[in-house]
Amino acid sequence: MRSSQNSYKTFTLKGEVQEEDRTPIKDVEILVNGGTYTKTNALGEFRLQVKQGDQITITSDYFDTIYYTVDTDDRLTVKVTESRFNNTPQLLQEKANAFETSIDSALFYKSVSIEKSIQFITESINHSSSTKQNAEAFELLGDVYAEWNQFDLAITNYKISINNKDVVDVQLKLAAAYHKNKSNENALKVYDKLAENNLNNYQNISLDEGKADVYFETSKTKEALNLYKKALKKAEEFKIQEKITDLNSKIGDVYAKMGAKDIAKTYYNTALGLAGQQNETREIEEKEKVANFENATQDYNKEIEIRKSVVETVEKNKKNFYLPNESALTPQKQNYKIGNAYYLQKNYTEAVPYLEKSIQQADETEDLVVKKDATKKLSEVYSASKNYNKALETYKDYTSLVEDLYRKKEQEISQAARFAKNLAEKQSRIQSLETDRQLSISQINLSKERNKRQQFYIYALIGGLFLVLLLAYLMFKYIKQQRLSNNLLALKSLRSQMNPHFIFNALNSVNSFIAVNDERTANKYLSDFSKLMRAVLENSEEDFIPLEKEIELIKLYTQLEHFRFQDKFEYTIDIDAELQVSDYEIPPMLLQPYIENAVWHGLRYKSEKGYLKINIEEDKPQNLKITITDNGIGREESKALKTNHQKKHNSKGLGNIQKRVDILNTMYKNKISVQVVNNPVETGTQVVVLIKK
């Protein structure tokens, strides 16, 4: 069936969704009659199976929902103007270019004239300017050949289309063409490969249905039944009405083949009811199938009733139906089958008029095949009803028709050969166009390759320069890292030298208490000393510790020294009340050597009682100032009193402190400064430590 029936047939609607500047919008949902079919791809394109009158809903978070009633199979373009958000898009039908005009003309003649359709497709290939357009042209050429049952040529052109642009729908068409060309193994290979893809709802259903068709034809009824039911479940879930009808009908076929006639009849009746809700064409197609089933189950009354209904529908809508003689729904075939059903019931009286009418209609439409079959059957009816004269006369007509049909078949075979040769020539010319196009593309690619090679050398030079700069940067970074590692190692070494020195002095103090048999004082001193040591060890691995921890350390240390030299000095530790102690950090044990120096080399040699003042304040914003002042004997007199061993020891201790400060300043950008001067008020020494916040 072709021509006027196409308005009821499913076809592929292609389209795209894009912004005003042609930027594609992906993941836009396209729904048909409420059932989700597909989404736009990364290029903003979509394609889906529809028929005239279907309601399409186009939804996205980027724009307001729009609705469209399918009228033609022209390409649909959705353009979202101005803002992508909260804006109503427009359905546009842009002026067709030469390629699109040729494609539209080929579509128009697809079911009417294969020659004209191929002619326009050839023109479209000449106008093609991209692999996308080329793929579309060869897909349509495959559709044309499939429409005219030239499945081997359809396969060839679907493959060319896929080589230009791999599209799932074309892969499904290729598999179906393989199946119809009796190449079921190849069909299954394509279907199995497609199963790995991310398919939309309609494609998933088509995949399961296609595989089931192959299994059914190869008598794998169990596998076919499972896949048909799986596809039916999906079709019902997504409300794809025509698939629900088709799949119920095909499940009926499987049960009929398995001999489960009652179950088959249930599915056929469901399909028939659904077909009646779609359109008259689909309904009479399903009625033909059910009538054949009733014939096979010998329910001739039901068969006759259904076939009469088909004839009535066709006769009533002659203008809407163009039925070629190959169609199973022509009035002459239906009347012949009605007459045959009466004959099988041995109701010869009723059989005769239907067979005669079939012969008359076949004569009018030049359908020699039906005319021959109906004439032979009429002869058999006359013979069975013992009207031998009529039987003989009719049989002679039959033999004459056989001769006419033989001559006609010879002519058709000759015409088919010429037709096939003509198609082969057209296909050869079209493929030569594709070969020329591929050659042109190869030449263009070769030119691009040369340009790429030149660009490669330029980029290689730039890349080489970049690598040299990168290497220099990495070397700089490596050297910097090595310096940092060396500094950290030096700091650790200096800290390790300071701790034993401090411990040695503290143990000397304990030893002096024990020497004078002051065990109680020694125990008290050891208890406080252990607290100090625990705090020192906890912070020994850190470059900086919170200021409040360092204050605790110097308080504890000064307390211990005062405990030992109570008769030599008094001390105060003043902290500015406005100072935010928590805002500052300080290297651990930075102040202790200076306090130790003030006590051991300044205050303990003083004849009268001296003092030690430690003042902590904020000198200016972002600057901490720590002042350690004593009124001891002073640096010059202290130096004169020292032994060579003491001079060396003192020099080493203060030298370690200075090295620590130098390393920390290198690492932390001059964070610390230490200044040792004479007491500005009286004899003694003053140490001023400045630390940036």
Side-chain angles (χ1 to χ4, degrees):
M1 290 180 290
R2 298 191 179 99
S3 191
S4 58
Q5 293 184 71
N6 286 345
S7 60
Y8 298 112
K9 290 177 70 174
T10 299
F11 58 88
T12 302
L13 179 67
K14 300 173 185 176
E16 54 196 1
V17 183
Q18 55 187 221
E19 294 183 32
E20 193 172 12
D21 61 357
R22 294 187 176 275
T23 301
I25 305 176
K26 67 174 184 176
D27 294 331
V28 177
E29 277 198 350
I30 318 294
L31 303 95
V32 177
N33 299 329
T36 303
Y37 270 56
T38 189
K39 290 183 178 181
T40 55
N41 60 21
L43 298 174
E45 300 170 339
F46 67 88
R47 54 166 66 199
L48 66 165
Q49 299 298 311
V50 297
K51 59 182 182 298
Q52 266 191 340
D54 277 345
Q55 299 294 315
I56 292 182
T57 306
I58 303 172
T59 63
S60 171
D61 294 335
Y62 298 128
F63 51 78
D64 296 338
T65 300
I66 59 173
Y67 304 92
Y68 171 70
T69 302
V70 177
D71 183 33
T72 67
D73 54 4
D74 292 341
R75 179 180 289 275
L76 186 66
T77 300
V78 179
K79 279 216 171 177
V80 182
T81 56
E82 298 176 4
S83 170
R84 290 174 70 183
F85 293 91
N86 301 320
N87 189 58
T88 303
Q90 299 176 355
L91 284 170
L92 302 177
Q93 202 63 48
E94 297 181 357
K95 187 177 180 180
N97 56 34
F99 172 81
E100 290 167 345
T101 301
S102 300
I103 288 291
D104 289 343
S105 300
L107 275 168
F108 177 80
Y109 286 107
K110 185 178 90 168
S111 302
V112 180
S113 170
I114 187 171
E115 288 86 358
K116 286 188 177 180
S117 190
I118 292 173
Q119 176 189 336
F120 284 114
I121 291 171
T122 306
E123 289 179 12
S124 74
I125 293 171
N126 284 324
H127 295 306
S128 172
S129 60
S130 66
T131 54
K132 176 185 170 184
Q133 289 184 338
N134 228 44
E136 185 177 347
F138 279 99
E139 178 190 356
L140 179 55
L141 186 56
D143 293 344
V144 170
Y145 284 131
E147 180 80 10
W148 292 84
N149 299 324
Q150 304 296 314
F151 298 112
D152 55 337
L153 292 174
I155 290 167
T156 299
N157 288 283
Y158 286 142
K159 285 181 176 179
I160 296 173
S161 175
I162 291 165
N163 286 336
N164 279 274
K165 184 182 179 184
D166 195 353
V167 177
V168 170
D169 286 335
V170 183
Q171 291 275 13
L172 287 168
K173 290 178 180 180
L174 174 62
Y178 271 130
H179 168 55
K180 290 174 181 175
N181 203 43
K182 308 300 180 185
S183 183
N184 291 315
E185 187 176 339
N186 285 326
L188 287 176
K189 283 180 183 177
V190 178
Y191 283 131
D192 289 338
K193 185 180 176 183
L194 278 172
E196 300 170 5
N197 292 17
N198 185 21
L199 310 182
N200 62 39
N201 301 328
Y202 194 91
Q203 290 166 346
N204 266 311
I205 294 166
S206 298
L207 173 62
D208 290 339
E209 182 184 13
K211 284 186 75 173
D213 290 343
V214 174
Y215 288 139
F216 180 74
E217 188 170 298
T218 54
S219 298
K220 294 181 180 178
T221 50
K222 186 176 179 181
E223 292 88 339
L225 184 62
N226 289 337
L227 279 174
Y228 280 139
K229 286 187 174 181
K230 180 183 173 185
L232 177 60
K233 186 176 179 181
K234 290 178 187 174
E236 289 173 339
E237 179 184 354
F238 298 110
K239 301 176 184 177
I240 304 175
Q241 200 61 40
E242 66 270 17
K243 286 294 184 187
I244 298 173
T245 305
D246 294 345
L247 289 163
N248 271 287
S249 181
K250 288 182 177 182
I251 292 171
D253 292 341
V254 177
Y255 278 119
K257 192 171 185 177
M258 294 169 69
K261 295 178 181 178
D262 290 340
I263 302 175
K265 193 166 188 175
T266 301
Y267 278 98
Y268 281 138
N269 287 336
T270 301
L272 187 57
L274 292 169
Q277 297 171 19
Q278 287 180 244
N279 54 67
E280 288 182 326
T281 301
R282 185 67 188 87
E283 184 179 19
I284 62 173
E285 286 173 349
E286 196 59 34
K287 282 183 176 181
E288 165 64 12
K289 180 181 277 192
V290 174
N292 290 338
F293 172 75
E294 300 295 2
N295 177 272
T297 58
Q298 298 183 3
D299 190 346
Y300 301 120
N301 286 331
K302 191 66 177 175
E303 179 194 1
I304 291 166
E305 178 187 340
I306 293 170
R307 294 196 188 283
K308 285 181 177 180
S309 170
V310 171
V311 172
E312 183 182 352
T313 302
V314 172
E315 293 287 354
K316 188 171 64 176
N317 297 282
K318 282 183 179 179
K319 292 181 180 179
N320 296 329
F321 291 111
Y322 166 72
L323 299 173
N325 288 338
E326 296 79 25
S327 171
L329 299 172
T330 59
Q332 61 266 27
K333 282 184 182 172
Q334 291 299 313
N335 282 316
Y336 162 69
K337 290 179 180 180
I338 293 170
N340 182 60
Y342 278 125
Y343 167 74
L344 293 171
Q345 286 183 321
K346 298 183 179 180
N347 187 345
Y348 308 126
T349 305
E350 291 292 338
V352 170
Y354 283 99
L355 292 172
E356 287 177 340
K357 191 169 185 180
S358 173
I359 293 167
Q360 179 189 345
Q361 290 170 331
D363 186 54
E364 290 170 357
T365 57
E366 298 182 357
D367 188 350
L368 277 179
V369 175
V370 173
K371 188 176 181 182
K372 170 195 65 97
D373 292 341
T375 303
K376 183 183 179 184
K377 184 61 64 179
L378 184 59
S379 175
E380 291 172 2
V381 170
Y382 283 138
S383 179
S385 61
K386 302 189 182 337
N387 191 342
Y388 300 115
N389 290 331
K390 277 281 190 182
L392 180 60
E393 182 184 337
T394 309
Y395 189 78
K396 287 178 181 178
D397 291 340
Y398 163 70
T399 56
S400 176
L401 285 169
V402 169
E403 291 177 3
D404 292 343
L405 185 60
Y406 179 76
R407 285 192 295 272
K408 185 179 180 183
K409 285 294 179 184
E410 282 187 326
Q411 291 173 357
E412 287 178 352
I413 291 169
S414 178
Q415 289 172 354
R418 286 196 299 273
F419 179 71
K421 183 181 178 182
N422 186 33
L423 289 183
E425 288 172 354
K426 290 179 186 294
Q427 178 64 24
S428 179
R429 283 197 296 272
I430 291 171
Q431 284 187 263
S432 69
L433 287 174
E434 172 66 2
T435 303
D436 292 342
R437 193 187 70 85
Q438 292 289 353
L439 183 60
S440 297
I441 291 173
S442 297
Q443 291 172 341
I444 292 168
N445 289 339
L446 185 61
S447 176
K448 286 181 179 177
E449 190 61 35
R450 289 197 196 98
N451 292 336
K452 282 182 181 177
R453 199 174 296 116
Q454 292 172 354
Q455 288 176 348
F456 170 76
Y457 294 135
I458 294 169
Y459 292 147
L461 289 171
I462 295 171
L465 180 60
F466 173 76
L467 285 175
V468 170
L469 293 173
L470 179 62
L471 184 62
Y473 170 74
L474 291 175
M475 285 294 293
F476 169 75
K477 202 171 179 186
Y478 172 75
I479 292 168
K480 189 176 178 182
Q481 186 65 36
Q482 281 297 102
R483 285 177 182 167
L484 177 61
S485 299
N486 292 338
N487 285 336
L488 292 173
L489 188 61
L491 279 174
K492 189 171 184 180
S493 175
L494 290 169
R495 284 196 298 264
S496 69
Q497 291 175 32
M498 288 180 63
N499 289 340
H501 165 69
F502 167 69
I503 295 168
F504 176 77
N505 284 344
L507 290 176
N508 273 343
S509 298
V510 177
N511 189 48
S512 67
F513 288 129
I514 295 172
V516 295
N517 292 319
D518 193 351
E519 185 180 345
R520 191 171 192 179
T521 305
N523 287 336
K524 175 70 170 66
Y525 189 90
L526 275 173
S527 175
D528 289 343
F529 172 69
S530 66
K531 291 178 185 176
L532 177 61
M533 284 306 303
R534 188 178 298 109
V536 169
L537 291 173
E538 281 176 359
N539 301 318
S540 63
E541 292 298 318
E542 303 296 331
D543 289 343
F544 287 88
I545 61 172
L547 176 61
E548 53 193 345
K549 283 193 176 183
E550 180 71 2
I551 291 172
E552 288 175 14
L553 284 173
I554 63 173
K555 280 182 178 179
L556 197 51
Y557 173 75
T558 309
Q559 180 183 320
L560 286 171
E561 293 291 60
H562 182 257
F563 187 65
R564 185 178 175 193
F565 301 110
Q566 294 182 30
D567 59 331
K568 290 294 182 181
F569 74 96
E570 294 295 336
Y571 73 94
T572 58
I573 300 175
D574 296 325
I575 302 170
D576 189 351
E578 296 183 2
L579 174 66
Q580 295 293 324
V581 177
S582 59
D583 288 350
Y584 290 92
E585 290 186 334
I586 186 170
M589 295 293 287
L590 177 68
L591 304 177
Q592 180 270 333
Y594 295 111
I595 297 170
E596 180 184 352
N597 213 48
V599 174
W600 280 73
H601 303 292
L603 294 170
R604 81 180 175 115
Y605 291 115
K606 193 174 175 67
S607 56
E608 70 274 8
K609 204 170 193 178
Y611 67 84
L612 173 67
K613 291 182 180 179
I614 302 170
N615 188 57
I616 303 173
E617 61 185 341
E618 197 166 46
D619 181 38
K620 55 183 178 180
Q622 312 295 316
N623 245 16
L624 176 69
K625 181 179 180 182
I626 303 170
T627 308
I628 302 169
T629 308
D630 69 76
N631 65 342
I633 61 174
R635 289 184 295 167
E636 294 300 322
E637 190 175 342
S638 174
K639 191 182 297 183
L641 290 173
K642 287 179 185 175
T643 65
N644 287 333
H645 174 73
Q646 286 174 328
K647 286 177 183 179
K648 184 179 179 182
H649 171 77
N650 184 48
S651 174
K652 186 177 180 181
L654 292 178
N656 282 352
I657 284 293
Q658 189 56 49
K659 286 178 183 177
R660 284 182 70 199
V661 169
D662 290 343
I663 292 171
L664 289 169
N665 281 338
T666 300
M667 293 170 61
Y668 298 104
K669 308 296 182 187
N670 299 319
K671 187 178 177 72
I672 307 163
S673 70
V674 180
Q675 185 181 21
V676 182
V677 297
N678 293 329
N679 188 332
V681 178
E682 54 185 309
T683 305
T685 306
Q686 186 176 73
V687 179
V688 180
V689 180
L690 295 175
I691 301 176
K692 291 182 182 178
K693 190 173 182 179

